[in-house]
Amino acid sequence: MCNIDHLLSRQHAIAEQCAEPLPIPKFNTYCICNLRGGIGKTSLSFNLSYLADNVLAVDTCPQGNLSYFYNPNYFNSRTSTYDMLLPYFMPGFGKASHVAQRIEATNHFFNGHNAFYIPSTDMLYNFASTMSFAFSQASALTGAQQQQLIDTMLFSLRSEIRRELAETSTQKCLIDTSPFFAGATHLAWHATDALIVPVRTDQQSINSLSLLLQSLSNPASPFLRIMPSNNHIPKIQLVVLTHCGWSTRAGARHQPNQQTRVYLEQVRDLVARYITHFTTSIPENHIVLLDDFLGSGRISTAQSKPINLLTAGESATIQRVRVEVNSSVEKIKNQLLFINNSIW
Ligand SMILES: Nc1ncnc2c1ncn2[C@@H]1O[C@H](COP(=O)(O)OP(=O)(O)OP(=O)(O)O)[C@@H](O)[C@H]1O
Ligand SMILES: [Mg+2]
């Protein structure tokens, strides 16, 4: 059983910048997902994309929050994730290429970074029904032909990402997803070998982690019902417990507050129970804590500025309210660096 004290002493070492990166395998493409909204998927995708050089960030969420971080006018883009995927599900449309855009062209905080993004579009809101219609049409075919068509559709995002990585000379890829499985998230699970799963410190987020684990393990789940010929199922690389808070009691600074502890224990139990779905067999390799961003998150979002560029005491006026970067930002920067150093 994974020991909570071990996780907490590692968090302390992370804050002090003396933790060894996690002994986990490395992958080129990660899908940041959980089946719940507002838990930190996009914030984590954005901040990790800043830390990883030679990176391609792919926005598959119709809300387009990640695209907005890179470019507030992203919706004027000629081509998007949707245009890359549509030809696989509605034959007749031309295949897209060179869709990725250089991030530094529209977000100056990325100056000098070899980093690209593929923008989202609100057309992705209806994509789940386009996909489901195409899968039902595939059922009219039989045998090898049917499986070949299903493979092509399920691996559409994977194929498109491979092409864009080659075209942009990038090696690392982060895919941000919507809170829903149906649609592009389904394809994102097949486009990656490993998932990074943010879980917020609340009961609904624990429930969504449990739902995600069932989706990966229950043969009747919508994910496992339509399988490619190689039976590809992504493993989970990390569960990132977000919005963590710490004790304010004297002498207990490195102890999580009661809420964080309760949900950390539940995460620990779920990870241990489903450990065969993780990239190693050791539960403590797969749980990290990320502090509540507080004012740092608000300023980062308002200015599209990576958290690792913020300094404590920096302030901004957001909707006529003065917001300050709190002193915990240094700890958060170290937590983000630790995740970055562990996954690539
Ligand atoms: N530790 C943390 N990690 C990530 N986000 C945090 C954290 N603490 C606070 N936040 C805040 O949580 C809010 C929600 O984050 P975000 O938009 O990344 O969630 P999401 O999961 O992508 O939501 P959606 O499902 O709607 O796309 C943001 O305001 C962010 O600043
Ligand atoms: Mg999001």
Side-chain angles (χ1 to χ4, degrees):
M1 178 50 88
C2 165
N3 186 329
I4 293 280
D5 289 338
H6 174 86
L7 295 178
L8 295 176
S9 66
R10 184 171 66 210
Q11 286 304 130
H12 182 47
I14 293 169
E16 302 291 319
Q17 283 186 293
C18 58
E20 287 293 319
L22 294 167
I24 48 180
K26 313 297 172 200
F27 300 93
N28 294 332
T29 301
Y30 291 100
C31 169
I32 321 285
C33 67
N34 197 352
L35 305 176
R36 175 160 166 79
I39 52 163
K41 298 180 292 297
T42 302
S43 309
L44 190 58
S45 304
F46 174 66
N47 285 293
L48 290 179
S49 74
Y50 176 75
L51 295 175
D53 213 7
N54 299 315
V55 73
L56 172 69
V58 183
D59 192 353
T60 66
C61 176
Q63 298 177 105
N65 297 341
L66 183 66
S67 305
Y68 191 89
F69 267 116
Y70 300 130
N71 177 5
N73 294 314
Y74 78 89
F75 40 79
N76 291 331
S77 305
R78 258 185 316 115
T79 42
S80 65
T81 308
Y82 178 75
D83 300 295
M84 295 195 315
L85 299 175
L86 196 59
Y88 292 83
F89 296 88
M90 268 198 191
F93 285 87
K95 289 214 168 176
S97 74
H98 295 89
V99 179
Q101 303 180 20
R102 202 173 263 284
I103 298 175
E104 67 179 351
T106 45
N107 181 326
H108 66 94
F109 296 117
F110 282 71
N111 279 355
H113 284 232
N114 188 38
F116 292 77
Y117 80 105
I118 298 182
S120 168
T121 159
D122 53 13
M123 295 298 284
L124 283 169
Y125 278 118
N126 296 325
F127 190 57
S129 55
T130 308
M131 274 176 63
S132 122
F133 184 65
F135 281 122
S136 69
Q137 285 201 314
S139 63
L141 299 171
T142 47
Q145 244 187 348
Q146 183 189 65
Q147 188 61 55
Q148 198 186 345
L149 181 58
I150 287 174
D151 281 5
T152 308
M153 292 194 288
L154 288 179
F155 288 128
S156 52
L157 185 58
R158 178 183 283 254
S159 310
E160 291 300 296
I161 285 175
R162 281 205 182 142
R163 181 185 48 67
E164 291 283 333
L165 284 167
E167 284 172 4
T168 53
S169 298
T170 48
Q171 284 83 41
K172 299 168 184 163
C173 179
L174 292 166
I175 312 172
D176 186 28
T177 55
S178 83
F180 305 107
F181 169 74
T185 305
H186 187 168
L187 304 179
W189 285 14
H190 281 302
T192 186
D193 292 319
L195 309 177
I196 295 176
V197 184
V199 174
R200 191 174 171 149
T201 49
D202 62 29
Q203 190 56 48
Q204 291 89 338
S205 299
I206 300 291
N207 297 348
S208 59
L209 172 63
S210 175
L211 180 63
L212 184 142
L213 290 162
Q214 286 167 36
S215 303
L216 294 173
S217 58
N218 181 347
S221 78
F223 178 62
L224 295 181
R225 269 204 311 258
I226 311 175
M227 282 308 276
S229 49
N230 67 0
N231 288 316
H232 169 263
I233 301 173
K235 297 264 183 190
I236 300 175
Q237 179 79 307
L238 281 184
V239 172
V240 180
L241 193 59
T242 65
H243 297 76
C244 292
W246 300 85
S247 171
T248 48
R249 274 188 299 117
R253 208 159 56 89
H254 301 303
Q255 287 302 316
N257 65 22
Q258 196 53 30
Q259 177 176 340
T260 300
R261 179 174 279 279
V262 164
Y263 296 116
L264 178 57
E265 285 172 0
Q266 293 197 40
V267 165
R268 185 256 333 252
D269 293 348
L270 278 170
V271 172
R273 183 155 12 119
Y274 285 91
I275 193 63
T276 55
H277 288 276
F278 286 75
T279 59
T280 79
S281 56
I282 303 167
E284 55 228 44
N285 285 346
H286 302 289
I287 303 170
V288 287
L289 280 67
L290 196 49
D291 282 21
D292 195 323
F293 291 170
L294 304 171
S296 310
R298 295 194 56 201
I299 294 182
S300 167
T301 303
Q303 302 183 347
S304 296
K305 184 172 181 178
I307 286 185
N308 284 69
L309 290 179
L310 295 176
T311 42
E314 190 178 332
S315 69
T317 304
I318 303 171
Q319 287 163 343
R320 284 191 265 163
V321 177
R322 192 168 165 277
V323 182
E324 195 164 303
V325 172
N326 32 296
S327 58
S328 67
V329 75
E330 293 307 324
K331 200 172 160 207
I332 294 168
K333 286 182 189 176
N334 290 336
Q335 293 168 344
L336 289 166
L337 278 169
F338 177 77
I339 295 173
N340 178 66
N341 294 339
S342 295
I343 61 172
W344 303 116

